[in-house]
Amino acid sequence: MPEFHAQLRVRLRPGVLDPAGQAVAHSLKDLGFAAREVAVGKLLELTLPAPTAEAAEAEVRRMAAELLVNPVLEDFELEISAR
Amino acid sequence: MPEFHAQLRVRLRPGVLDPAGQAVAHSLKDLGFAAREVAVGKLLELTLPAPTAEAAEAEVRRMAAELLVNPVLEDFELEISAR
């Protein structure tokens, strides 16, 4: 069966408190950098076997729903590529 | 001054232990998913003012070197886009 690489970019939803992002924003400011809207999210990557890219995407969306992403707090983008 | 959006995708270097990735891999397996090479990294996003995209990229690379990325353990990809 072919294998696919999946990359999930998981972000906190707008309005959800992001203490890690705030800490980074403060540290950047202390260092003299002019950054704003700093956000810290997760980058999840994995390899999976699937008959087609469409099937791989559906499978990773199931993984997201069951484990990887908390839909109350998080949003995600998914990119599937052939290995 | 124009503003740019920066996205840093930070990954652990090959060979660096990834306990978060291992935990996700085990949980996916317990749920019946066939995933391998699971890796957990960071997605850092921010907005910054800069005269050009090239200047924005240089500035974010300085932020990475001074604060955002640990070059001993981590690698990163950077994407700059106009806002």
Side-chain angles (χ1 to χ4, degrees):
Chain A
M1 183 141 30
E3 293 214 303
F4 295 87
H5 179 257
Q7 182 181 88
L8 283 100
R9 294 187 286 269
V10 183
R11 296 180 177 86
L12 290 171
R13 286 184 181 277
V16 175
L17 200 66
D18 178 6
Q22 291 177 353
V24 172
H26 284 130
S27 298
L28 286 172
K29 196 180 167 199
D30 288 346
L31 290 168
F33 291 110
R36 51 185 202 81
E37 293 173 15
V38 181
V40 176
K42 281 183 296 185
L43 182 71
L44 299 172
E45 296 181 291
L46 56 87
T47 297
L48 77 164
T52 63
E54 289 69 28
E57 175 166 343
E59 184 78 344
V60 177
R61 288 190 182 278
R62 279 189 291 272
M63 294 179 194
E66 290 191 37
L67 180 72
L68 304 176
V69 178
N70 177 341
V72 177
L73 301 177
E74 298 170 329
D75 238 338
F76 71 100
E77 280 169 22
L78 174 56
E79 206 175 293
I80 300 282
S81 51
R83 286 234 43 196
Chain B
M1 184 144 24
E3 293 212 303
F4 294 88
H5 179 256
Q7 182 180 88
L8 282 100
R9 293 186 286 268
V10 183
R11 295 182 179 85
L12 290 172
R13 285 184 181 278
V16 175
L17 201 65
D18 177 6
Q22 291 176 353
V24 172
H26 284 130
S27 296
L28 286 172
K29 197 180 166 197
D30 288 346
L31 291 168
F33 290 111
R36 49 186 204 79
E37 293 172 16
V38 181
V40 176
K42 280 183 296 183
L43 182 71
L44 299 173
E45 297 181 289
L46 56 87
T47 297
L48 76 163
T52 64
E54 291 67 29
E57 175 166 343
E59 184 77 344
V60 176
R61 288 189 182 279
R62 278 190 290 273
M63 294 179 194
E66 288 190 38
L67 180 73
L68 303 177
V69 178
N70 177 340
V72 177
L73 301 177
E74 298 170 329
D75 238 339
F76 71 99
E77 280 169 22
L78 174 56
E79 206 175 294
I80 300 281
S81 51
R83 283 229 50 190

